[in-house]
Amino acid sequence: NAGVTQTPKFQVLKTGQSMTLQCAQDMNHEYMSWYRQDPGMGLRLIHYSVGAGITDQGEVPNGYNVSRSTTEDFPLRLLSAAPSQTSVYFCASSYMGGPYEQYFGPGTRLTVT
Amino acid sequence: AQSVAQPEDQVNVAEGNPLTVKCTYSVSGNPYLFWYVQYPNRGLQFLLKYITGDNLVKGSYGFEAEFNKSQTSFHLKKPSALVSDSALYFCAVRPVIYNQGGKLIFGQGTELSVKP
């Protein structure tokens, strides 16, 4: 099993462009989430989902949209990229309802110029 | 506000010496506590977790962590550091009162450098 996969690994966007970061997991996890990692700030939660059709905002949701049409996939959309969105993005998944650890994807390094 | 603090941005240790990476938290109730490690250009990997019971938790790669409820701390330890332990370490807390699945609050991260 592949675990959590993310594509692309790297992306460069111009200000104002839009794009979708893909995330998929094959562990049948109900919970999926997106984080951004910036130096000295740890990981900050952007959006999360507790199951297909259910999403909610995290700590830093502005400028990002998500949807969850299947258990496996949880794409993150940047509507109009800004330089402040330059970051490394991680998708993670886990089971719900107990002290389960999250499994992380390898990350997408995004640069917005 | 609920938060997790890792007071040291960087910890430097000589190979073979014991290491400690500190974590304290401010979260209501009895949260679940986690440590993750991140190697360069990689995602986070789970190391260990505290749920309940024995205050000393053992995890992957010889790491262990000590939970102290009165000090609201969860320090990561290893008796003998290896150069290959050099990485970025994150403490994370999941408040049990959350009914929002696996939502985690992360510390800022501590860069561990182990020199030969």
Side-chain angles (χ1 to χ4, degrees), chain A residues 12-68:
Chain A
V12 179
L13 290 179
K14 294 188 188 310
T15 298
Q17 288 184 317
S18 63
M19 79 160 294
T20 299
L21 279 62
Q22 301 292 344
C23 174
Q25 53 92 8
D26 61 359
M27 296 173 282
N28 205 31
H29 287 163
E30 304 95 335
Y31 183 86
M32 295 186 75
S33 54
W34 278 101
Y35 296 90
R36 58 178 290 172
Q37 182 180 20
D38 302 292
M41 302 191 75
L43 276 77
R44 292 182 292 167
L45 183 64
I46 304 172
H47 285 285
Y48 65 96
S49 167
V50 297
I54 307 170
T55 63
D56 205 347
Q57 296 181 351
E59 186 185 353
V60 288
N62 293 342
Y64 308 94
N65 271 0
V66 291
S67 59
R68 182 109 179 258

Side-chain angles (χ1 to χ4, degrees), chain B residues 12-77:
Chain B
N12 297 308
V13 176
E15 189 174 32
N17 283 1
L19 69 88
T20 299
V21 182
K22 295 179 182 175
C23 172
T24 59
Y25 61 92
S26 175
V27 172
S28 54
N30 297 310
Y32 302 132
L33 306 167
F34 301 84
W35 275 100
Y36 288 85
V37 60
Q38 184 181 30
Y39 297 102
N41 301 311
R42 305 286 294 275
L44 277 69
Q45 295 177 33
F46 168 74
L47 271 181
L48 50 78
K49 63 185 174 186
Y50 175 82
I51 304 168
T52 187
D54 193 349
N55 289 345
L56 189 65
V57 178
K58 292 191 186 300
S60 306
Y61 311 121
F63 283 93
E64 55 193 27
E66 186 169 16
F67 169 64
N68 187 315
K69 186 171 183 176
S70 62
Q71 296 184 2
T72 60
S73 67
F74 189 53
H75 300 333
L76 181 70
K77 301 184 180 199

Side-chain angles (χ1 to χ4, degrees), chain A residues 76-94:
Chain A
L76 178 73
R77 278 180 286 277
L78 279 71
L79 308 172
S80 177
S84 61
Q85 293 179 304
T86 293
S87 188
V88 182
Y89 292 85
F90 290 100
C91 178
S93 72
S94 72

